[in-house]
Structure formats: C-alpha cells, structure tokens
C-alpha cells in the first residue's frame, strides 16, 4: 500500500510539472527567471508600459529580427541583470546594434514578447 501511494504521488508530481506552459519559457531567450515576479497581475500592469534598460549587445539576429543583450537590472520589471533576447519593433533598428556595443534601449511587453521600440 505504501509503494502504491508513493508511486501515485510521484505520478501526480510528474504530471503537474509536465503541464507547465513551455511557450512562455521558450520566448524568454533562456534567461534565468529565479526570484522574478512573473505573476499574472504584474503582466497586466506592465503590458504596454515603456521600460528602459542598458547593456551590451551579445548577438544580433537580422533574419529573426532579434537582438540578445546582457542588460543591467530593470527596476520597472523587477528584473535582475541577465542576458535576454528581445524582438525589435522595426527591423531598421537592427542597424543600431552590433556585437559588444553598449546600448540604452526602451522596450514594451507585448504578450509573451519583449519588443525594443528605440535604442541609443
């Protein structure tokens, strides 16, 4: 009986982990999300709001319209410093990014994407 209970508990745990939506994690560019406030209420509050960041460009993906930046903390999102891949709103902005260049940028949250709207 004890073995059956342990097996059932392990099965429930495995199924609950399998149900975690992977689409959200995949869209985050492989960043470390430990200790971050990712609750639904936070997402509703920040959606459409302009956030500012600064960091160093690590990779530019012109075909995908994306750029990976090692950025510092972003207090408005309660994010620590991390490497993160952003989408650019307009592919013309990609010309302002080059590997190892220090940039200041603004971005908005659009669903599960973080979209850069301007860069200096």
């Amino acid at each position: 009986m004890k073995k059956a209970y342990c097996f059932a508990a392990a099965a429930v745990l495995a199924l609950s982990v399998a149900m975690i939506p992977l689409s959200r994690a995949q869209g985050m560019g492989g960043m470390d999300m430990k200790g971050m406030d990712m609750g639904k209420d936070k997402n509703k509050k920040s959606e459409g709001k302009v956030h500012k960041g600064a960091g160093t460009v690590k990779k530019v993906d012109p075909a995908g319209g994306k750029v990976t930046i090692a950025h510092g903390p972003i207090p408005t999102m309660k994010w620590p410093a991390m490497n993160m891949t952003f989408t650019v709103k307009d592919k013309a902005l990609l010309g302002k990014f080059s590997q190892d260049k220090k940039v200041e940028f603004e971005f908005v949250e659009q669903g599960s994407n973080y979209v850069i709207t301007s860069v200096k």
Side-chain angles (χ1 to χ4, degrees):
M1 182 74 164
K2 187 174 181 180
K3 284 184 182 181
Y5 175 79
C6 289
F7 178 76
V12 168
L13 179 61
L15 287 174
S16 64
V17 169
M19 298 303 289
I20 295 172
L22 295 177
S23 61
R24 178 80 173 161
Q26 290 170 345
M28 304 295 272
M31 69 181 184
D32 181 8
M33 300 181 347
K34 290 183 215 163
M36 291 175 36
D37 179 10
M38 297 301 287
K40 289 182 182 178
D41 290 338
K42 190 265 332 160
N43 288 338
K44 287 179 185 173
K45 290 177 189 173
S46 68
E47 184 121 9
K49 180 180 177 185
V50 177
H51 305 278
K52 294 182 181 189
T56 303
V57 177
K58 293 298 179 186
K59 180 180 174 185
V60 180
D61 174 9
K66 296 178 186 273
V67 61
T68 302
I69 301 174
H71 65 75
I74 301 190
T76 57
M77 293 294 288
K78 298 182 181 176
W79 287 353
M82 69 181 97
N83 289 348
M84 186 168 166
T85 301
F86 294 87
T87 302
V88 293
K89 181 177 182 178
D90 180 358
K91 286 191 177 186
L93 285 174
L94 288 172
K96 296 184 177 187
F97 294 100
S98 59
Q99 190 167 347
D100 298 323
K101 181 178 180 180
K102 293 193 183 306
V103 292
E104 294 179 14
F105 60 98
E106 293 183 348
F107 68 96
V108 295
E109 183 177 3
Q110 292 181 345
S112 62
N113 292 318
Y114 299 96
V115 181
I116 293 178
T117 56
S118 70
V119 63
K120 294 181 195 177

